[in-house]
Amino acid sequence: MERVDVAIVGGGPAGTSAAERAAVHGAETVLFEQGVPREDRDGIGPDSTDAAGMLDYWIDIMDFDYREIPDEVIHRELEATEFIGPNSAVRLTTTGIEASYPKFGYTFHRARMDDWLHERADDAGADLRVGTGVKDLETDLRASSSKGPTHTLTLSNGDQLEAQYVVLADGPQRRITLDALDQFTAPGRSVSDYLSPPTANHIAYQEYREFPEELFEEFEDTLKFWWGYMPGETAYPWVFPNDGTVARVGLTMPIGMELEDVENPGSYRLLHPDDDQLPSGSEYITRLLEQEYGDEYDVEEDIPIVEDRGKSKGTETYPISSTRPIESPVGANIAVAGGAMGTTSAFHEGGYHVAVRTGKIAGRLAGTDSLENYNDIWKRAIGDEILRNVAFADIVKDYQPDDWDWAFDVINDMQSSGTGNVMTGRGYSAGLGATKILLAYKKRKFDYRNGGYVQLREDEYLY
């Protein structure tokens, strides 16, 4: 049987970052990626579907010098993000968080970014097997190895491989992670109970649309999000400017939600009185574009889908897991990284930056026989970001459309008076509304202090 030091399941940002770091530190490293096709990639690769925006401080969280990221990866530099409610809106031109990147952020080509990380791992000496998936992983806790438990991976071609350390980075679908971790959970419990309840997971859908030049100029340096326009926790449409006059128009929506589950459906701009069910993703997008631009443009003729982009004819559908993270069973020589461990934000559903960072940490520690420190180190590296995301997600969990208008009015008051920043939780002199938001934010951060945002702790695994 083939034997390696480190085996990595998944070739997205967490997996390739782990492979690069493990290989740099001299470990014999192999990465397995099942691979999917895309219109804008030659051959198969990781499931590179994402709205793909990067805020300034996220680059520092990834632990990159922004100048080393290739120019062809970046679509557009950003100056702001705009949050639009039913009757109010707010424009943010700073995150308020110290960052090395000089702009607000940028949009980027997700597949090219993934491929660049792949090249870095390949150059470091990792063995990247794209097109080969993993069907099963079994851990031998009583292995005779001086370094502790070993693992047997069964591959999609029927071959088997033995590894000393495993990094699970198979994204929010967690095809291998859930069963692999269930080896160490108490009878009657499953890791799915923590990571995969329908209430914590969404389906995202996006289309690549070509905009008229004069219309595209209105948002070419701005991310746009519409809150309170469609029902569901963390459900919202967006527009992200790309290259040329192409933008990604997309949304996230809860899994399994029905129209009868919606309180006050008439309050949502993208629902119609004659709806007998919730709209599909494509219908939501058509309604958004018609509402925002239909008075001046014919949406299907003037803002058409660009069919040579994305996964299939200019469209993409992909799962997003918006939950709180779990710790890894490091006593079994396993680290879980990125979306597989639940680091995708439950507030804004971004997760690329924390996937890269957790992958880097897992790979470095596995490559240096020090994986037992993984849970402590990733919390020090990304804990503040996770804490922010979880706190905001709790605050807005039950927001109705009117609540978004109220919140945006409060934030506008805070900005106009220069008295606070909602991202950092500082400032109280913008009135009672600001005090209410900031106190709620601080309370939730306090509730989740010292890693309290973790759902499944290391000491709950059974070895």
Side-chain angles (χ1 to χ4, degrees):
M1 187 187 299
E2 182 182 4
R3 290 172 174 80
V4 297
D5 298 320
V6 180
I8 298 165
V9 181
T16 48
S17 297
E20 188 264 343
R21 287 291 87 194
V24 160
H25 285 87
E28 186 176 358
T29 304
V30 61
L31 177 149
F32 298 102
E33 165 56 48
Q34 179 174 305
V36 296
R38 287 180 60 88
E39 297 283 357
D40 50 7
R41 172 190 280 140
D42 294 331
I44 60 173
D47 195 358
S48 304
T49 43
D50 195 339
M54 187 68 63
L55 298 182
D56 53 5
Y57 74 95
W58 288 4
I59 304 166
D60 298 317
I61 286 179
M62 288 194 296
D63 196 26
F64 280 131
D65 183 330
Y66 69 87
R67 290 165 293 195
E68 65 184 304
I69 298 173
D71 290 342
E72 63 267 21
V73 167
I74 299 174
H75 282 312
R76 290 197 173 270
E77 290 188 328
L78 298 170
E79 298 291 344
T81 186
E82 186 174 3
F83 299 102
I84 305 164
N87 299 292
S88 184
V90 62
R91 181 178 174 88
L92 300 180
T93 57
T94 177
T95 62
I97 297 173
E98 184 177 351
S100 60
Y101 189 69
K103 300 284 188 177
F104 183 81
Y106 57 77
T107 57
F108 65 99
H109 192 299
R110 167 69 191 268
R112 290 178 188 166
M113 182 70 176
D114 284 355
D115 291 347
W116 177 62
L117 294 178
H118 182 112
E119 292 170 6
R120 287 169 57 90
D122 186 53
D123 291 344
D127 180 1
L128 306 177
R129 303 185 189 179
V130 178
T132 301
V134 175
K135 292 198 303 183
D136 186 54
L137 183 149
E138 292 187 4
T139 301
D140 184 357
L141 293 172
R142 295 176 294 279
S144 59
S145 168
S146 62
K147 298 177 183 179
T150 60
H151 312 277
T152 300
L153 288 77
T154 302
L155 309 181
S156 56
N157 60 11
D159 292 345
Q160 290 190 318
L161 172 141
E162 184 177 274
Q164 186 67 62
Y165 300 100
V166 167
V167 178
L168 297 171
D170 49 349
Q173 293 177 313
R174 307 182 181 100
R175 292 188 178 95
I176 299 300
T177 291
L178 296 179
D179 285 343
L181 297 189
D182 280 348
Q183 299 177 86
F184 316 113
T185 55
R189 295 306 306 270
S190 170
V191 177
S192 296
D193 298 334
Y194 301 92
L195 291 177
S196 296
T199 54
N201 291 273
H202 294 68
I203 289 292
Y205 173 80
Q206 66 178 358
E207 298 173 350
Y208 292 75
R209 294 267 184 165
E210 182 90 44
F211 283 73
E213 186 171 352
E214 70 278 5
L215 177 56
F216 188 86
E217 289 176 352
E218 295 180 9
F219 59 84
E220 63 181 353
D221 61 359
T222 303
L223 304 179
K224 300 185 74 166
F225 301 88
W226 285 261
W227 289 92
Y229 275 63
M230 54 187 292
E233 181 185 348
T234 325
Y236 54 90
W238 68 73
V239 171
F240 279 44
N242 273 27
D243 57 317
T245 58
V246 174
R248 278 161 290 180
V249 187
L251 54 87
T252 65
M253 51 189 180
I255 294 174
M257 190 176 195
E258 303 289 346
L259 183 59
E260 52 265 31
D261 300 326
V262 179
E263 183 180 349
N264 299 319
S267 64
Y268 293 95
R269 294 280 182 93
L270 298 186
L271 295 184
H272 293 171
D274 58 350
D275 285 335
D276 57 9
Q277 62 183 10
L278 291 177
S280 65
S282 60
E283 177 62 23
Y284 265 132
I285 286 178
T286 298
R287 292 183 183 185
L288 175 73
L289 293 176
E290 288 179 344
Q291 177 180 277
E292 296 296 308
Y293 312 117
D295 290 344
E296 298 181 48
Y297 301 94
D298 182 294
V299 168
E300 295 310 315
E301 290 189 10
D302 298 330
I303 314 176
I305 294 176
V306 182
E307 294 194 356
D308 62 350
R309 308 257 182 141
K311 290 179 70 174
S312 177
K313 296 183 178 180
T315 68
E316 296 181 347
T317 303
Y318 51 97
I320 291 181
S321 175
S322 302
T323 184
R324 292 189 285 125
I326 63 168
E327 293 184 355
S328 295
V330 292
N333 282 349
I334 292 176
V336 194
M341 68 184 283
T343 54
T344 305
S345 169
F347 173 56
H348 56 67
E349 294 179 331
Y352 200 96
H353 56 311
V354 289
V356 168
R357 188 61 179 274
T358 54
K360 283 185 173 183
I361 295 168
R364 173 175 62 83
L365 297 177
T368 56
D369 299 316
S370 52
L371 197 60
E372 68 272 11
N373 300 311
Y374 175 61
N375 292 314
D376 291 334
I377 293 175
W378 74 251
K379 279 185 281 188
R380 288 201 296 270
I382 67 168
D384 287 347
E385 175 73 349
I386 299 294
L387 196 56
R388 272 189 294 269
N389 294 337
V390 170
F392 278 127
D394 277 4
I395 291 172
V396 305
K397 181 178 181 179
D398 298 317
Y399 268 24
Q400 299 294 309
D402 288 347
D403 297 311
W404 287 109
D405 284 332
W406 169 80
F408 294 157
D409 286 340
V410 169
I411 295 169
N412 279 323
D413 288 344
M414 293 172 68
Q415 291 195 130
S416 62
S417 63
T419 56
N421 183 296
V422 71
M423 286 285 289
T424 58
R426 293 193 294 268
Y428 291 92
S429 56
L432 292 176
T435 301
K436 181 179 178 180
I437 288 178
L438 292 172
L439 285 177
Y441 178 54
K442 287 178 176 290
K443 179 183 183 303
R444 283 161 175 81
K445 287 184 70 175
F446 181 80
D447 291 341
Y448 290 122
R449 67 194 184 283
N450 300 324
Y453 49 77
V454 167
Q455 293 193 84
L456 177 61
R457 300 188 312 275
E458 179 186 348
D459 60 13
E460 294 180 82
Y461 291 107
L462 306 176
Y463 303 121

